[in-house]
Amino acid sequence: MEITSSTMVKPVYSTPHPLVGEKVPLTVFDRAALDIFVPTVLAYPAPAPSNEALREGLLKAVAPYPHLASRLALDDHGRRFLHVNNEGVLLIEATVPVDLADVLVDGRMAAGVEDLYPTLPEENIGAALLQIQLNRYRCGGLVVGISCHHHTADGHSMSMFFTAWATAVREGKDFTTPTPFLDRARTALPGSTPTPVFDHRSLEFTCGEGDTYAVVPMDRIKNLTLHFTAEFVADLKSRVGTRCSTFQCLLAHVWKKLTAARELKPEEFTKVRVAVNCRGRADPPVPMDFFGNMVLWAFPRLQVRDILNSSYGSVIGVIRDAVARINDEYVQSFVDFGGVADANGEELVATAAAAGTMFCPDAEVDSWLGFRFHQLDFGTGAPSAFVPPDLPFEGLMIFMPSRKANGGVDLFMAVAEEHVAAFEQICYSLD
């Protein structure tokens, strides 16, 4: 691979965006997001659009999302904020002297993907918050590596931005600039007398307590890709007995199988940390086109004997009940917790696991099933593959709409080396 250019690109505004120049404090939702860059890698077979077209579309798409061209900075009290200074987006162009078909096999890159997105900065303060690498293959195929800092936006927000970028490239001069909801402060307004009623410190933030998980060398954690066909999902749903979402039934299935493969003691407890989009759960609701962070977590929890012996329907009921508890009262309590911390001058730090963490007997799940890959068409077709980086935590799972012709769902997950054989033997069994 050869890097051919590395530039900071900045949107040019005919009239300055009203937010440019602002110093936007991080909301309590931003601070609950991890202090990390999140990489995404998308593959497009030839013919793919030119780098010039991608760059022009990128500038148009970033303009209505000025936080993406901002920088993290520290105020006089050492607290982080987003400086909306239009310092720009890092755009790297690279050429790869092989054909894409030789290295992209079954939706995975034969070698790792770490070279395909910009090197993660060692220091996040002052770094470009959106960094993109365009990797052009000998055949003309393209792999787009995108890395965005999580304090800037959650997955729902980045999905909106990706769609805007693809649309800008595809439509050119006919592109209609989106007008997302950008008022972060409105998403986190504490009550007149902030009164948190839940234990947010141990759930969303850490102060040295909470779960203690083992940390192992990364080579003991294996990354697996499972493909659940549309037929498998339909068969699974037919066994549940009640209406349920694809995400709920597949999570119940995988939680059961992973628990069995781990051979845990029957009296142990296992829980799953489930990301929940809170835009529609707040009162009043926040517009779905809000760009920023608005995710909290539900924690369905069961004894091992119960998850192994219960029907799919009852496990789904436990998941559904846990997610339902993230309601308007819970969201307001969380916002009030942030208000009390701010009033006391307290810095809140998200519960971040170290690379190599074994979540066993627990797990964590993200659903990207609402991610509209067909809309990420730059003009020559949707991406042929979404290629995840290696997941750094045992027990972490990401559900994605499959790019295979027959649809269905792909699951990317990290499993402990010693549990892989048992898990692979039972993961597609409905017994």
Side-chain angles (χ1 to χ4, degrees):
M1 173 185 287
E2 182 189 354
I3 302 288
T4 54
S5 85
S6 177
T7 53
M8 209 61 76
V9 298
K10 304 176 184 181
V12 178
Y13 295 98
S14 49
T15 55
H17 192 284
L19 277 181
V20 170
E22 291 286 316
K23 295 178 177 179
V24 180
L26 295 186
T27 70
V28 66
F29 292 102
D30 296 332
R31 284 174 282 165
L34 296 182
D35 178 19
I36 56 170
F37 279 85
V38 181
T40 309
V41 178
L42 299 162
Y44 293 84
S50 69
N51 286 9
E52 187 52 42
L54 291 164
R55 174 197 288 254
E56 280 182 28
L58 176 65
L59 290 175
K60 287 183 195 166
V62 169
Y65 298 100
H67 299 98
L68 290 173
S70 304
R71 295 294 183 269
L72 279 172
L74 298 174
D75 67 14
D76 297 341
H77 304 288
R79 285 191 287 204
R80 292 179 170 208
F81 65 92
L82 283 167
H83 191 193
V84 188
N85 52 11
N86 201 29
E87 286 283 302
V89 172
L90 178 63
L91 183 64
I92 296 172
E93 297 178 41
T95 55
V96 191
V98 296
D99 291 343
L100 184 55
D102 293 340
V103 290
L104 181 66
V105 182
D106 256 354
R108 297 296 294 237
M109 298 302 280
V113 297
E114 281 65 33
D115 292 342
L116 300 175
Y117 54 82
T119 306
L120 302 180
E122 288 180 15
E123 176 50 68
N124 295 339
I125 300 294
L129 296 176
L130 177 61
Q131 308 193 359
I132 293 173
Q133 186 168 316
L134 305 176
N135 304 283
R136 184 69 59 173
Y137 286 75
R138 184 172 62 194
C139 58
L142 172 75
V143 171
V144 182
I146 304 151
S147 185
C148 182
H149 195 280
H150 209 332
H151 282 169
T152 319
D154 56 20
H156 177 89
S157 297
M158 290 310 295
S159 163
M160 293 193 314
F161 165 71
F162 291 160
T163 301
W165 183 19
T167 308
V169 175
R170 199 171 62 240
E171 295 183 351
K173 292 184 173 64
D174 298 326
F175 176 62
T176 304
T177 304
T179 52
F181 183 75
L182 297 175
D183 189 350
R184 289 189 180 221
R186 281 264 305 282
T187 67
L189 289 173
S192 51
T193 312
T195 43
V197 289
F198 297 96
D199 178 16
H200 300 288
R201 187 174 306 284
S202 64
L203 289 170
E204 286 94 9
F205 295 98
T206 181
C207 60
E209 297 166 64
D211 301 298
T212 49
Y213 295 117
V215 178
V216 301
M218 286 293 289
D219 61 4
R220 281 192 47 205
I221 296 177
K222 300 302 175 194
N223 277 254
L224 307 181
T225 303
L226 275 61
H227 176 64
F228 297 107
T229 63
E231 293 76 26
F232 180 92
V233 175
D235 192 6
L236 182 54
K237 285 184 175 180
S238 72
R239 292 165 186 250
V240 170
T242 58
R243 284 191 64 178
C244 66
S245 68
T246 297
F247 170 70
Q248 288 166 345
C249 73
L250 283 176
L251 175 55
H253 175 74
V254 177
W255 191 12
K256 274 174 162 285
K257 300 303 177 187
L258 182 61
T259 303
R262 285 167 161 175
E263 297 186 328
L264 301 167
K265 296 187 181 79
E267 67 276 9
E268 274 190 85
F269 278 90
T270 168
K271 66 177 183 289
V272 184
R273 187 177 193 249
V274 182
V276 179
N277 182 350
C278 293
R279 286 164 176 78
R281 293 170 184 266
D283 182 19
V286 169
M288 289 308 280
D289 67 350
F290 165 62
F291 185 86
N293 285 292
M294 207 165 175
V295 167
L296 292 175
W297 294 271
F299 293 90
R301 181 173 180 265
L302 279 166
Q303 242 176 331
V304 168
R305 66 163 64 87
D306 291 334
I307 191 163
L308 295 181
N309 297 325
S310 296
S311 67
Y312 280 114
S314 56
V315 176
I316 286 167
V318 169
I319 295 168
R320 193 178 273 153
D321 290 348
V323 171
R325 284 196 284 275
I326 310 300
N327 56 13
D328 56 340
E329 182 193 13
Y330 189 89
V331 172
Q332 190 59 52
S333 170
F334 176 72
V335 169
D336 282 358
F337 172 77
V340 171
D342 285 346
N344 295 336
E346 182 187 353
E347 182 66 286
L348 294 169
V349 180
T351 43
T357 295
M358 299 273 287
F359 284 149
C360 181
D362 301 331
E364 180 167 337
V365 64
D366 258 334
S367 169
W368 287 36
L369 293 175
F371 206 94
R372 297 181 178 88
F373 278 101
H374 60 280
Q375 292 183 356
L376 304 190
D377 173 4
F378 288 116
T380 57
S384 61
F386 165 91
V387 190
D390 280 349
L391 303 176
F393 316 124
E394 181 273 344
L396 180 58
M397 312 182 257
I398 300 175
F399 287 103
M400 305 282 294
S402 178
R403 299 303 305 138
K404 289 189 192 297
N406 64 354
V409 173
D410 288 336
L411 169 62
F412 304 109
M413 66 184 296
V415 178
E417 184 177 47
E418 60 270 26
H419 301 147
V420 168
F423 180 74
E424 288 188 324
Q425 213 168 352
I426 57 176
C427 61
Y428 295 114
S429 158
L430 286 174
D431 299 335

